[in-house]
Amino acid sequence: MSDTNSQFPHLREWIGQSETVVDEITRAPVRAMNATLDYPEQEIPVGTPLPPLWHWLYFLPAHRQSDLGPDGHARRGGFLPPVPLQRRMWAGSQFEFHAPLQVGDSVRRVSTIDDVTVKEGRTGILVFVKVRHDIFREGYAESAITEFHDLVYRDVKRPGDVEPAPTAARTDAPWQRIVEPDDVLLFRYSALTFNGHRIHYDRDYATKEEGYPGLVVHGPLISTLLIDLVRRQAPDREIASFKFKAVRPTFDGKPFSLNGALSEDGRTVELWAADHEGWLTMQATATLI
């Protein structure tokens, strides 16, 4: 994969741009996510800690309907650079959890374009955008969460494009949970995160326009389910850091597995997701305290 930054030099002008969004950690999204992840109904008093990654239920984009593109994403430009490629994917993220957010908190997220890189891949030009998010609780000078968010842009799939060969997932997971990704689950998660990307709920668009075999399961949903596996298997431990990388798309209609293995010293958990054929779709690592 060669470096071709000279092809889109104007995109690197976005490095350093930032925006700030304020919000409140309210009860309703927590209650809805509990139901979506199949937890029983429970009281959610002020001061309830927000589980890791549930901050994605807040700071939601509120683009005007007229500002959305044909794929359901906001049109290019503004905070994110105007990448002239049609497909945008969330490739991975890295997190440091410094302090828990709590129901009732007033919060502020400062987002900064950390890097923009253009590369030549086997299927054409790829543009990688790294965004840093720092989330602060009102009254605290130090951030509660530091997140790096990796986006990759690529052109539409062309006839003859060859996808990378799949990787077989490990089959020795001490922890495992099977998930049935039906269209209701995908719709509920899209609604919770105000995600208009049509590949997650519009089957005709996903299959006929973008060439997928079905609806695409959200990468953030899979990563949330992976970190939730840690919460279920090690409920007395806290998660200090987490990182994940999307390896291969997961589609609705077939079950996929969430897998985890705790290290011998009990400090880290290797996590991975696999589709119904056993191919690796996401890999992740959580550090525990």
Side-chain angles (χ1 to χ4, degrees):
M1 184 179 291
S2 60
D3 193 319
T4 57
N5 281 293
S6 59
Q7 294 198 34
F8 301 116
H10 65 289
L11 296 181
R12 293 186 59 81
E13 297 174 6
W14 261 253
I15 295 174
Q17 289 210 41
S18 66
E19 68 173 12
T20 299
V21 181
V22 297
D23 208 340
E24 295 181 3
I25 306 299
T26 54
R27 289 184 176 90
V30 177
R31 181 170 179 266
M33 181 62 94
N34 269 331
T36 300
L37 297 188
D38 214 32
Y39 283 102
E41 180 81 17
Q42 57 186 284
E43 292 293 324
I44 306 169
V46 170
T48 299
L50 201 65
L53 300 192
W54 290 28
H55 66 282
W56 285 338
L57 304 180
Y58 304 91
F59 309 108
L60 302 182
H63 302 291
R64 295 174 58 189
Q65 187 70 16
S66 57
D67 289 337
L68 300 181
D71 62 354
H73 275 310
R75 298 184 189 278
R76 309 298 165 82
F79 172 63
L80 289 174
V83 179
L85 301 173
Q86 294 189 36
R87 299 171 74 182
R88 185 177 92 183
M89 293 162 285
W90 192 327
S93 286
Q94 307 88 45
F95 307 84
E96 296 288 339
F97 301 106
H98 310 296
L101 303 180
Q102 299 177 351
V103 172
D105 281 344
S106 294
V107 288
R108 171 172 53 96
R109 186 187 70 187
V110 180
S111 303
T112 307
I113 304 297
D114 192 67
D115 196 15
V116 179
T117 305
V118 183
K119 294 184 180 291
E120 179 76 41
R122 284 180 292 181
T123 58
I125 298 294
L126 301 172
V127 176
F128 298 88
V129 177
K130 182 177 281 289
V131 182
R132 174 174 177 147
H133 301 294
D134 290 289
I135 299 175
F136 300 86
R137 299 172 64 194
E138 185 176 15
Y140 293 83
E142 300 297 325
S143 63
I145 300 172
T146 302
E147 171 184 1
F148 287 94
H149 176 176
D150 298 319
L151 295 170
V152 58
Y153 296 79
R154 61 190 298 185
D155 210 346
V156 294
K157 190 174 182 179
R158 300 167 298 187
D161 282 351
V162 178
E163 296 294 331
T167 301
R170 290 172 54 184
T171 58
D172 60 343
W175 301 349
Q176 188 174 82
R177 183 182 176 207
I178 303 300
V179 175
E180 299 280 351
D182 61 18
D183 46 5
V184 177
L185 174 62
L186 303 194
F187 169 79
R188 295 179 86 177
Y189 190 77
S190 287
L192 274 168
T193 54
F194 206 47
N195 185 344
H197 197 183
R198 292 169 65 184
I199 63 173
H200 303 303
Y201 61 85
D202 185 336
R203 192 173 303 278
D204 278 351
Y205 176 85
T207 57
K208 296 177 182 178
E209 295 296 324
E210 298 219 13
Y212 292 118
L215 297 177
V216 180
V217 181
H218 314 67
L221 173 57
I222 297 173
S223 62
T224 299
L225 288 166
L226 283 172
I227 211 167
D228 183 64
L229 180 68
V230 179
R231 294 179 60 223
R232 292 173 187 265
Q233 295 290 337
D236 298 328
R237 303 292 297 276
E238 293 185 16
I239 298 172
S241 66
F242 179 71
K243 61 182 179 181
F244 74 88
K245 179 182 179 182
V247 177
R248 181 179 173 87
T250 299
F251 303 101
D252 75 322
K254 300 288 185 180
F256 66 89
S257 64
L258 308 167
N259 306 273
L262 183 64
S263 64
E264 290 186 5
D265 62 10
R267 295 180 180 177
T268 60
V269 183
E270 294 299 321
L271 297 156
W272 65 97
D275 65 19
H276 68 286
E277 295 182 299
W279 300 124
L280 180 69
T281 58
M282 182 173 287
Q283 54 192 16
T285 305
T287 303
L288 307 182
I289 53 175

